[in-house]
Every structure is written in structure tokens, then in C-alpha cells.
Amino acid sequence: MGKRDLLRGNEVIAEAAIRAGCQCYFAYPITPQAELLEHMARNMPRLGRTFVQAESEIAAVSMVYGAAAAGVRTMTSSSSPGISLKQEGISYLAGSNLPAVIVNVVRGGPGLGDIAPSQCDYFQATKGGGHGDYHMIVLAPSTVPEAGELTMLAFELADRYRTPVMILTDGLLGQMMEPVELPEPIDPASIPAKPWATTGASGRDPNIILSFDLDPEVLRQMNLDLQAKYRRIEEAELRYEETMTEDADLVIAAHGTMARIAETVVRRAREEGLKVGLFRPITVWPFPYEPLRELSSHVSTVLTVEMSAGQMWEDVRLAVAERAATPFYGEMGGIVPTPRDILSEVRKHAG
Amino acid sequence: MERSVVIAGFGGQGVILAGKILAQAGMDHGLEVTWLPSYGPEMRGGTANCTVVTSDSPVGSPIVDEPSALVAMNRPSLDKFAALVVAGGTILVNSSLIEAPIERSDVRVVSVPLNALAAKIGNARTINMIALGALIKATAIVPLETLKRTMEKAFEDSGKAKLVAVNIQAIEEGYNAA
């Protein structure tokens, strides 16, 4: 094992972005992701890279658009209300096929909400929070080390598919510390060439990056191309994890922070003799419908647990259909269900 | 074995730092750990707290509903968390500020006059390290030497090497008082 450091989720996401070759970071401060911005402020200038504390979230995401169009790896981060402000820019990034990473350290909503952990931005992240027929790849880490790994992956996927990628986490994972073996920095030469980027047209034809065409036939084709890309992503990039599902009668479906809390529930339930497992989507878009559909035909119950009113629950029900019961347990407003809370829900439905 | 500690007190009593050093010591001792702070508005003036989980296998929930130990640096913290401590667990009470008896007979209560010991050392800000010394004596989460080494490195890394000696003294005072 290499050297382990005790670090906050927010710091690890920032450091992983640096190690993934992020050249330009633009953001506006908000709790509970402040440490992410602070880590970038301390380190990006020292490395000769660009850190800008923008005048607003909209400015920050627009700067990301510019940097992405110029062909460099770029990121912005915020928390729920700030991410809402960025939706216009995210739609433009998607429509223009631009690679960028957006981090949402979710807090309680709607509106100004509070600063406590929540998963209430799942719909916004996975169903398209901005206008138009688009998706982002959305990665949902459940531990601090995984937040680092998925941030590295986010940059890679963004470039591979020329698409915005979101890290969807929450205030709990952002604030907590855990031992981490930080990923090795990438070799900058490994970043794919971007012949489409607007790097100055001297000696070649101009590159034009737009999400706009007044001719419906042309815009239709742009949309068909986008959809074809999303189908390729669905084919190739599904990520999920199953824990003790082989003989399970009840499976908890949970992502991110809730999934790691559910791991403790699975352990306690097993001690009581209850056959309980865990299904954890790591990509919440694309959602692992097929694996969950397959699993649901061997169990009697899929219990969705979220820090929301039941947002991922809709995807779970789409996957499971009528193959198993699909109860839901959730908390809102920044209340984090404890293992005991979830276990008592499990007991209601198990056996 | 998984163990969990809630460290709670007034903002300014150093509970967040105490939790960080305990978590770091756990990691230095080869354990898996999580450290989770309260980061809400309650930190201003009310109670601040953090939760440390240590385990020899990966930690699941960093949210703890039945802590195996509570460090109550003041009365509001005791009132808030004492009922949660698992039967057979440990409650470390700052007897300098808490006079009320603990209304539980199924936990081990360790009373240490943190403020009085800090006054004896001559540095009021050492109460958190006195508490940690007492906690690890009562619970053996990490060895005394590991805690001292971790604290020393943490203070040196943050440019406070001159405070190492007094905090070593604080850890030992707490250890011997528990």
C-alpha cells in the first residue's frame, strides 16, 4: 500500500482534478464545497494553471465553456443553488459537444435550502437540469477515495465522449475525512488530441463550436448525433456495485453517501439472519437498468433509500417494473438516515 | 472491531481538532477511519461535535447512531448525546463543567476535570488533548505512544511545533487521570 493521507472529500476531488490535468478551474464559493475551491486557489496558481473566482456561478460555467472550447481540461464546482445557476451553461456545453467536469456537492433544497447533506438534485443531474434533449454522465462516489478515482475518470470520459460529466456528491462526503491513497498524476501526453478545438486557425480551416442552427433539419441531425452518443455511453460506461446480493431476498438500492450507510445496514441485517444485499449505481446516468432488472427477478423486494423524496426511486421502479416490491424510505432537508432508521425499514419489508 | 467516538463541546474547546488527531492516530495505527464534523450553524456558540469511527475493516456508515464512546466537554453535549451511547460503552465527562450525575448505569463513566488539569498545566487550550489522553486510556482505541506521535506531527506540520511539549504533557495528564 502506498502513502495514505487523511483528507476531506472536497480536497480529494480538487486534488484529483489537478492530477487529472485540469488546467483551468472557475467557481464561485458556496458551502459545503468551500474546501474544494480553497484547495484549487492554493494549488492551481502554484502549478502555473488558471484559478478564477468568478463574479457568479453563471460566469464560472461560461468560463468553463470557453476553456473547454480552447481544448484544455477544465472544471467548475458548486453546491445545489449554485448548480441551478449553471444549468444554462451545462446545456450549452452538452449542445456544443464540449468536455468539462462539474462537481455538485449537494445540500438541502429547494430554493436556498440549508447547508446539510442531501441527494435532492438527482433529477436535475440525471434528467437534464437545463433545456434541450441532453444528458451528462453522472458519477456518484460513496467514499472519499472513490470521489478521487471518479474525478480522474470524469475527465477521461469527458474527453472520450466530448461531453460534460458531473460528480454528484453531497455535503457529508465533501466534509468528511477518510484515508486516501491519492491517484498518480496522469501523463499530459495521454490526453487525447483535440483537433476540433478553437486553438487559432492559422494554417488550417477554422473550427466552429456552436450549439445553434436555425435550420431544423441541421439541428435535428445534431440531436440525432447527440442521441447516438448517449446510446454508445449507455453501452460502454455503466458502472454499479452489488454487495451480498447472491442469496439476498431484499436488496437496498442506494447511491453515494446513502449506499455507504446502507453497507452498515446490510452487515447488521445479516447478523439478524435477514438476507439483505445492496445494489449501488455508480453511474446514476446512465442508470444501470438492465443489471437491476436482472437482480430484481431473484429477490422479493428492492427497497430504495435516498436523502430525497424518492428521485432515484423512479429509475428503480422503471428497472424493476412488477418483478419485486419497490418500497421507498427517504429523508429530506438535510436529515441523514442512520443505520438504525434504515434497518427498521428493512425489518418491515424483509422475511 | 469497529469503534465510534462522538467528541462534543462548545465551539472553541477544540473538539474538531481532537477528532482529527484521533482519526489520524487511528490511521497511523493501521486502522480504517472516518472523521465527520458537524458543520452546521450550530458550530457558532452552541455545541460543536465530530464523529470518529475506527475499524480493522472498511468503515460503512460514518454516521453513528450508537457511539461506543462519548467525550462530553460540556453539559449541553452530555444532554444531547449521553442517551445514544451503546450499553457497555464509555462516557468521558468533563467534571470541571459538568456537575450533574449521569443517569445511566449501563455505561462506564470516566470523570476527568479537564479545565482544572489544563489550569494546572498552565494552558487552557490543552483541554482537548487532556480529553484524548483520558479517552484512549479508557478505550484503548490507539496506544498512548501513537497518539503522542500523531499529535506531534500534526502540530509540527501546521507550524505549531512550540506547542508540542505542553500538549504531550496534556495527553499524559489525561491518560493518568482516567
Side-chain angles (χ1 to χ4, degrees):
Chain A
M1 190 185 291
K3 181 178 175 293
R4 298 203 304 171
D5 294 301
L6 188 64
L7 294 171
R8 283 185 200 250
N10 281 335
E11 293 169 323
V12 167
I13 291 170
E15 183 55 33
I18 289 171
R19 291 172 183 228
C22 178
Q23 284 293 333
C24 295
Y25 169 86
F26 311 101
Y28 186 82
I30 185 170
T31 305
Q33 66 84 59
E35 298 82 6
L36 203 169
L37 182 137
E38 286 164 8
H39 187 91
M40 295 306 250
R42 268 195 301 274
N43 292 286
M44 292 289 274
R46 182 176 66 79
L47 296 165
R49 304 187 194 180
T50 301
F51 167 90
V52 178
Q53 182 174 318
E55 69 270 33
S56 72
E57 285 86 350
I58 298 171
V61 75
S62 301
M63 292 174 191
V64 163
Y65 185 101
V72 300
R73 287 193 162 175
T74 180
M75 181 168 94
T76 186
S77 63
S78 190
S79 178
S80 307
I83 294 291
S84 288
L85 287 166
K86 293 183 198 289
Q87 292 305 320
E88 179 195 29
I90 294 171
S91 170
Y92 277 58
L93 285 164
S96 304
N97 292 294
L98 285 175
V101 175
I102 302 120
V103 182
N104 186 359
V105 184
V106 180
R107 58 189 244 181
L112 199 52
D114 63 17
I115 60 173
S118 176
Q119 296 181 320
C120 59
D121 296 355
Y122 180 94
F123 281 157
Q124 186 194 53
T126 61
K127 310 298 178 191
H131 56 284
D133 273 315
Y134 79 93
H135 281 289
M136 290 182 279
I137 297 173
V138 184
L139 306 170
S142 74
T143 67
V144 172
E146 193 184 33
E149 290 157 21
L150 291 182
T151 302
M152 302 286 283
L153 177 67
F155 281 95
E156 193 185 314
L157 295 178
D159 277 347
R160 186 181 307 156
Y161 295 101
R162 291 181 59 184
T163 184
V165 178
M166 176 170 276
I167 300 290
L168 183 68
T169 183
D170 62 67
L172 188 146
L173 206 66
Q175 293 295 321
M176 71 177 278
M177 295 202 299
E178 212 169 353
V180 187
E181 195 178 330
L182 285 164
E184 287 298 313
I186 60 142
D187 174 4
S190 71
I191 298 176
K194 297 177 178 175
W196 48 263
T198 50
T199 52
S202 159
R204 62 163 167 78
D205 290 337
N207 286 335
I208 296 170
I209 291 171
L210 267 182
S211 61
F212 176 71
D213 202 296
L214 281 176
D215 181 345
E217 288 295 334
V218 177
L219 193 65
R220 174 173 176 270
Q221 190 55 50
M222 280 169 58
N223 269 282
L224 289 171
D225 293 345
L226 266 185
Q227 293 302 317
K229 172 163 82 178
Y230 297 145
R231 299 297 89 76
R232 288 202 306 280
I233 293 171
E234 286 167 344
E235 282 288 313
E237 304 300 343
L238 278 187
R239 286 172 172 81
Y240 63 97
E241 187 179 73
E242 294 187 20
T243 306
M244 305 193 86
T245 51
E246 299 79 15
D247 64 339
D249 180 52
L250 180 149
V251 167
I252 300 172
H255 72 89
T257 288
M258 271 333 300
R260 75 174 297 157
I261 294 174
E263 291 219 2
T264 294
V265 177
V266 169
R267 211 150 58 209
R268 287 196 199 167
R270 291 269 167 180
E271 284 164 13
E272 292 182 13
L274 299 172
K275 289 186 173 171
V276 176
L278 172 66
F279 183 85
R280 177 171 79 93
I282 298 170
T283 50
V284 286
W285 196 90
F287 188 85
Y289 291 108
E290 279 303 327
L292 182 55
R293 182 169 299 145
E294 166 64 23
L295 177 60
S296 68
S297 55
H298 308 297
V299 304
S300 63
T301 305
V302 179
L303 170 65
T304 306
V305 182
E306 288 177 80
M307 292 188 280
S308 78
Q311 300 191 11
M312 188 181 83
W313 190 31
E314 292 195 0
D315 283 327
V316 170
R317 283 181 292 168
L318 270 175
V320 174
E322 304 297 322
R323 289 175 199 82
T326 50
F328 172 74
Y329 171 61
E331 286 286 356
M332 290 177 283
I335 303 293
V336 183
T338 66
R340 185 189 296 164
D341 297 333
I342 303 166
L343 189 56
S344 71
E345 289 299 314
V346 165
R347 288 196 199 104
K348 274 186 213 164
H349 301 290
Chain B
M1 185 160 93
E2 186 168 294
R3 287 192 284 198
S4 49
V5 183
V6 172
I7 306 176
F10 291 124
Q13 283 184 313
V15 303
I16 299 293
L17 178 63
K20 280 185 185 175
I21 287 177
L22 179 64
Q24 181 75 47
M27 193 182 103
D28 293 346
H29 191 51
L31 298 169
E32 298 297 331
V33 301
T34 59
W35 171 89
L36 180 68
S38 62
Y39 65 91
E42 63 184 3
M43 283 180 75
R44 299 209 178 113
T47 62
N49 71 81
C50 63
T51 303
V52 175
V53 181
T54 64
S55 177
D56 39 27
S57 57
V59 178
S61 177
I63 296 262
V64 171
D65 44 28
E66 288 188 330
S68 47
L70 165 67
V71 177
M73 310 266 271
N74 64 3
R75 180 66 194 268
S77 303
L78 185 70
D79 294 344
K80 187 170 177 184
F81 295 108
L84 301 181
V85 175
V86 72
T90 303
I91 299 181
L92 177 71
V93 173
N94 178 7
S95 54
S96 295
L97 299 184
I98 303 169
E99 289 170 0
I102 311 296
E103 288 164 5
R104 283 187 64 173
S105 54
D106 60 342
V107 295
R108 180 173 168 220
V109 177
V110 179
S111 289
V112 179
L114 299 177
N115 296 65
L117 290 176
K120 184 178 137 196
I121 292 169
N123 184 330
R125 298 186 68 183
T126 60
I127 62 167
N128 57 349
M129 293 303 129
I130 299 171
L132 277 192
L135 174 73
I136 62 141
K137 172 78 167 294
T139 61
I141 292 174
V142 294
L144 177 62
E145 287 311 312
T146 306
L147 179 64
K148 286 201 265 188
R149 264 199 312 276
T150 300
M151 180 280 294
E152 188 172 346
K153 183 158 188 319
F155 277 71
E156 281 171 357
D157 287 354
S158 57
K160 294 174 184 157
K162 63 180 192 305
L163 295 174
V164 166
V166 72
N167 280 290
I168 292 275
Q169 196 189 344
I171 289 173
E172 286 172 349
E173 283 285 347
Y175 192 85
N176 295 329

